[in-house]
Amino acid sequence: MSSRQSLPIAIYYEQPNWFKPLFAELDRRGANYVKLNAVEHSYGPEDHPEEKYALVLNKMSPSAWNRGHGDQIFYTLGYLEHLESRGVRVVNGVKAYRSELSKAAQLSMLEALGLGYPKARVIHRASQASAAAEGLRFPVVVKPNIGGSGSGVVKFHTKEHLAEASAMEGGLTLGMDSTGLVQEFVPARGSFIVRVEVLNGKYLYAIKIHITGETFDLCPADICKTRLGVELDRAACPVDAPKNGLTVERFDAPPEVIEEVEKLLAAAGIELGGVEFMVDDRDGVRMYYDINALSNFVADGQKVVGFDPFVKLADWLEDEARIVNERRGVAEMAGAR
């Protein structure tokens, strides 16, 4: 590649189905981009990625361990550190990815910012779960520290049920880092949760997801109907993905929510991502419970929120790449004098 040739956008990803709409939009506009499949990826410390890519968008999923790709999770940390050490513009780099990988760290962040969250205790072995639940209101959930799409989350209605599971071989799943949360299960007022999406650190849109209370997998790309029953095109999902019965509609987030979400994602180092919250039906307190650097946009955004978020994402990525390439060109011209 000539040094004066514009460098491409690189999309680093693991689950190909989730990124079909983004790839399709980039292809439609003839964008200069390359795909970096984490499953097949490798690198050397002597590599110079700053000479290959204008920017790298990190879309590695923490739920990869459910698809036999758990080996890529900690590998990705090293790769992101290498990119940043070479001065590559990374969207959702090391800080963002570390925030994504630890639900325990997310709770500490929420506490530091004075935002509401479900009361919880952090444990590192299953046998601690029963004692950790002391002082928590039942029902509780036990969730892996490294999760993704509700993976491994189990609800317990009684202390006895939890004690039995914590004493049983394989009764609880703590996740890849042997760390988990014992957390109060929050009854959602109105039986819905809200997911707020951010692009370039700023509010993009919000959706209200109507839930049953019996599932913890709330991937917005998997939701197949609007609240009015309109079928959605789930282009980001596998063709055999089950229709989960959840429904979705646009939500006009109030200013205080937008301010809190933008502050939270800034603290997490996340430029592109989502935050989920619900209102606790017991006391009316807004509870933030999930922070996502890998955030899948709602299916069929045009029908739900009135625009295609993938178009806005592609616009932003091209603008960011253009800035890098222009700076690179100026530097090369200065060096040639």
Side-chain angles (χ1 to χ4, degrees), residues 126-127 162-174:
S127 60
L162 177 60
E164 180 181 351
S166 64
M168 185 188 310
E169 182 74 25
L172 296 175
T173 301
L174 298 187

Side-chain angles (χ1 to χ4, degrees), residues 177-204:
D177 59 354
S178 299
T179 303
L181 273 60
V182 182
Q183 189 169 51
E184 289 186 0
F185 176 83
V186 176
R189 181 165 293 180
S191 296
F192 67 85
I193 64 99
V194 173
R195 186 179 182 105
V196 183
E197 299 286 351
V198 165
L199 174 64
N200 192 21
K202 300 298 181 183
Y203 174 78
L204 182 62

Side-chain angles (χ1 to χ4, degrees), residues 45-335:
E46 74 283 0
D47 292 347
H48 287 261
E50 73 280 10
E51 298 175 359
K52 296 180 180 179
Y53 315 121
L55 67 83
V56 176
L57 170 60
N58 171 36
K59 299 294 281 183
M60 180 64 197
S61 171
S63 66
W65 58 276
N66 286 316
R67 294 180 290 277
H69 297 158
D71 54 301
Q72 291 138 50
I73 291 177
F74 295 108
Y75 164 87
T76 295
L77 279 173
Y79 180 54
L80 295 176
E81 287 171 345
H82 175 64
L83 290 172
E84 293 184 3
S85 73
R86 299 298 312 182
V88 177
R89 167 76 168 100
V90 182
V91 176
N92 289 349
V94 173
K95 183 178 180 181
Y97 192 56
R98 288 190 188 280
S99 298
E100 169 109 63
L101 289 183
S102 177
K103 294 186 183 301
Q106 292 179 13
L107 294 185
S108 294
M109 196 181 308
L110 287 161
E111 171 68 23
L113 293 172
L115 300 178
Y117 60 90
K119 190 174 181 182
R121 302 293 295 175
V122 182
I123 60 175
H124 56 83
R125 57 181 59 183
S127 60
Q128 297 176 303
S130 187
E134 290 297 324
L136 300 182
R137 291 174 289 184
F138 275 77
V140 300
V141 294
V142 176
K143 58 175 65 173
N145 189 44
I146 299 176
S149 300
S151 303
V153 181
V154 182
K155 182 178 177 182
F156 296 93
H157 290 274
T158 66
K159 294 180 180 180
E160 293 75 20
H161 186 199
L162 177 60
E164 180 181 351
S166 64
M168 185 188 310
E169 182 74 25
L172 296 175
T173 301
L174 298 187
M176 292 189 66
D177 59 354
S178 299
T179 303
L181 273 60
V182 182
Q183 189 169 51
E184 289 186 0
F185 176 83
V186 176
R189 181 165 293 180
S191 296
F192 67 85
I193 64 99
V194 173
R195 186 179 182 105
V196 183
E197 299 286 351
V198 165
L199 174 64
N200 192 21
K202 300 298 181 183
Y203 174 78
L204 182 62
Y205 68 82
I207 53 174
K208 181 187 291 186
I209 301 173
H210 297 268
I211 60 177
T212 64
E214 300 305 318
T215 179
F216 299 99
D217 184 356
L218 302 178
C219 174
D222 291 345
I223 299 172
C224 57
K225 287 185 179 181
T226 68
R227 189 64 172 163
L228 298 177
V230 177
E231 292 285 344
L232 300 177
D233 177 12
R234 300 187 304 160
C237 302
V239 293
D240 59 347
K243 292 190 176 184
N244 49 29
L246 303 176
T247 59
V248 63
E249 63 182 310
R250 177 175 175 162
F251 178 78
D252 293 321
E256 61 271 20
V257 167
I258 294 174
E259 181 181 356
E260 289 174 352
V261 167
E262 290 181 353
K263 183 189 301 183
L264 179 55
L265 289 187
I270 296 173
E271 296 177 83
L272 169 67
V275 174
E276 293 175 7
F277 73 85
M278 64 184 73
V279 175
D280 192 333
D281 197 41
R282 297 169 295 189
D283 52 24
V285 174
R286 184 162 53 248
M287 296 284 191
Y288 292 97
Y289 66 91
D290 200 15
I291 303 169
N292 300 277
L294 188 143
S295 187
N296 296 318
F297 290 142
V298 65
D300 216 340
Q302 192 71 50
K303 288 182 182 177
V304 180
V305 299
F307 63 88
D308 185 345
F310 288 101
V311 172
K312 292 186 179 292
L313 173 56
D315 286 343
W316 180 63
L317 291 174
E318 287 195 312
D319 286 343
E320 292 296 299
R322 188 177 303 113
I323 291 170
V324 172
N325 279 311
E326 287 175 354
R327 288 175 179 168
R328 179 170 166 268
V330 170
E332 287 179 351
M333 289 177 64

